[in-house]
Amino acid sequence: MYLSTSRAADIAGDTAAARGPLRAVPGTVFALGLVSLVTDISAEMVTAVLPLYLVAGLGMSPLAFGALDGLHQGATALLRLVGARIADRTRRRKLVAGTGYALSAVCKAALLAATTPWSVAAVLAADRTGKGLRTAPRDALISLSCPPQEQGRAFGVHRALDTAGALLGPLAAFGVLWVAVDGYDAVFTVSCCVAVLGVVLLALFVREAPAPAPARAPLPPVRTLLRIPALRRLCLTAAVLGLFTVGDAFLYLLLQRRLDLPAAYFPLLPVGTAAVFLLAALPAGRFADRLGRRRVFLGGHVLLIGAFLLLLAPVPAGPPLVICVLALLGLFYAATDGVLMAAAGSVLPAELRATGLAVLQTAQALARFAGSLLFGAAWTLWGPDAALAAAAGGLLLSLAVAGVLAALDRPVPGEPFVGPS
């Protein structure tokens, strides 16, 4: 991948490129990827230590952790719509995204003052507010910078860079815990400094196309988006699957229990997932462009079921189990994260691109919020194995529903029709 060769190309979203295996991506995509790389180092430093810190360190129950994990994923999901609507109305997508990044940086510093589980929850809610504000405008900048037929690839490039940060963040947390006396506070301090660097990179290097003259007609209402059948089905698909998508934090806790892993090594578990995601994100995006984004998205959830079944299987706890589970989890993210946004970008009008992506992200995030609550409750009532078995069964049924919804979609520009197969 290469940066566009001129600022004019960046601003215009020029995607002209060589026809080799790695064609050029717009500079906007690459620059946002670097911002996400740095920001993810900061975020994943905290995320890598948080499950063990709360459950083992502060004594939080699985049910309470399920509520907190759901909050971390979806409680502020509606703010995605707020940020997206502001971005579309003002055409200042970079500014709205930057506000979200800055808010998350402030929250990393606030973690130093949070000493109880629910004060941590309050800080995480504010941090997720920042993520909610920035995600849709950022993805809209990526989507608007390239033609429909290359959206999967563009999001794959961005997610690959983003995931490089997700790989480095747990390693940084592991290093800090290894050398620091007061390990968790040191992790939060370093995380804050790295988050500030991400805001600086966004301000200096991300370029946005000049906003056009204000249109005479007002911006169409959000309900206009719900008249797009393909978007409605994508939202429903993301929601029914998200309801049974067990968060990776829970899966890491299950692995830690099986392996009896020391606390200092716990942050290394996300590294394996991130490494696979990093290697597979761009190939998965290109594969989705060619064979159908919905098909790849559904296939990713099949891989997630495989990870569930491995954790339930009576196999010896050791490196092979860890490698297989983390590999399947990384492939799941590669096949679903950017691919879903690319599928939506092909059916959304440019003037409502950020809002449309936020509607889809909100549907998925709210479903995952509910799913985390249900899984935490099931763990508390039935135990981890029964809860995971129920999640696997629910996800399998959801895939059948999602397959029917995918079969109803007609071809959209830049994406082949995949049918029911």
Side-chain angles (χ1 to χ4, degrees):
M1 65 193 80
Y2 305 91
L3 280 170
S4 299
T5 55
S6 68
R7 180 174 298 181
D10 289 343
I11 295 176
D14 185 9
T15 57
R19 295 298 174 186
L22 292 177
R23 292 171 293 173
V25 295
T28 295
V29 174
F30 193 86
L32 283 168
L34 292 178
V35 172
S36 292
L37 184 154
V38 172
T39 302
D40 245 35
I41 292 175
S42 168
E44 293 301 325
M45 287 184 69
V46 174
T47 301
V49 303
L50 203 59
L52 201 62
Y53 174 58
L54 292 172
V55 174
L58 299 183
M60 182 174 277
S61 70
L63 176 58
F65 180 73
L68 184 57
D69 186 60
L71 175 70
H72 194 256
Q73 294 191 50
T76 58
L78 293 177
L79 285 167
R80 298 170 188 258
L81 290 172
V82 175
R85 193 64 175 170
I86 294 172
D88 280 336
R89 185 175 295 278
T90 63
R91 304 295 193 267
R92 302 293 297 276
R93 298 178 179 93
K94 175 182 172 180
L95 178 61
V96 176
T99 301
Y101 280 110
L103 179 57
S104 291
V106 171
C107 290
K108 301 302 187 299
L111 281 172
L112 292 168
T115 57
T116 66
W118 297 110
S119 62
V120 173
V123 174
L124 289 179
D127 176 73
R128 294 301 90 184
T129 299
K131 184 174 177 61
L133 288 175
R134 72 179 183 250
T135 300
R138 181 205 65 199
D139 285 348
L141 286 169
I142 296 170
S143 182
L144 291 170
S145 71
C146 57
Q149 67 272 18
E150 294 188 2
Q151 300 248 333
R153 186 173 169 279
F155 277 101
V157 169
H158 173 267
R159 295 314 196 251
L161 289 168
D162 179 272
T163 307
L167 187 151
L168 294 172
L171 289 175
F174 172 75
V176 172
L177 288 177
W178 189 264
V179 301
V181 175
D182 192 6
Y184 291 116
D185 281 353
V187 168
F188 299 152
T189 300
V190 175
S191 172
C192 176
C193 296
V194 176
V196 171
L197 176 60
V199 177
V200 173
L201 289 174
L202 178 79
L204 294 180
F205 298 110
V206 172
R207 311 234 175 241
E208 183 174 11
R216 293 183 180 179
L219 191 66
V222 176
R223 63 177 178 272
T224 302
L225 293 166
L226 301 179
R227 297 171 187 162
I228 303 174
L231 180 62
R232 291 202 305 267
R233 286 191 283 269
L234 276 175
C235 288
L236 186 56
T237 297
V240 297
L241 292 172
L243 190 61
F244 297 100
T245 301
V246 177
D248 48 6
F250 275 119
L251 299 182
Y252 298 147
L253 284 173
L254 288 169
L255 275 174
Q256 194 268 339
R257 286 165 60 97
R258 288 280 298 268
L259 299 170
D260 196 22
L261 194 68
Y265 291 94
F266 186 82
L268 294 180
L269 292 177
V271 174
T273 300
V276 176
F277 189 2
L278 172 63
L279 294 174
L282 179 54
R286 296 177 66 189
F287 191 67
D289 283 340
R290 294 175 182 175
L291 296 183
R293 293 159 196 156
R294 291 166 183 81
R295 175 178 288 172
V296 173
F297 182 72
L298 297 182
H301 287 82
V302 174
L303 297 173
L304 183 61
I305 292 176
F308 293 177
L309 295 179
L310 272 178
L311 284 169
L312 291 169
V315 296
L321 174 65
V322 175
I323 291 171
C324 290
V325 170
L326 297 184
L328 287 171
L329 191 57
L331 290 172
F332 158 71
Y333 281 117
T336 57
D337 190 9
V339 170
L340 181 62
M341 295 300 101
S346 301
V347 301
L348 293 171
E351 67 273 14
L352 287 173
R353 188 67 53 87
T355 304
L357 294 177
V359 168
L360 178 57
Q361 292 163 359
T362 298
Q364 184 181 56
L366 289 176
R368 289 187 174 181
F369 173 50
S372 288
L373 289 175
L374 290 173
F375 187 80
W379 183 331
T380 301
L381 293 174
W382 307 332
D385 289 345
L388 192 60
L395 189 54
L396 187 61
L397 291 175
S398 297
L399 274 171
V401 174
V404 173
L405 293 170
L408 295 175
D409 276 328
R410 298 188 177 191
V412 296
E415 179 174 5
F417 178 56
V418 300
S421 61

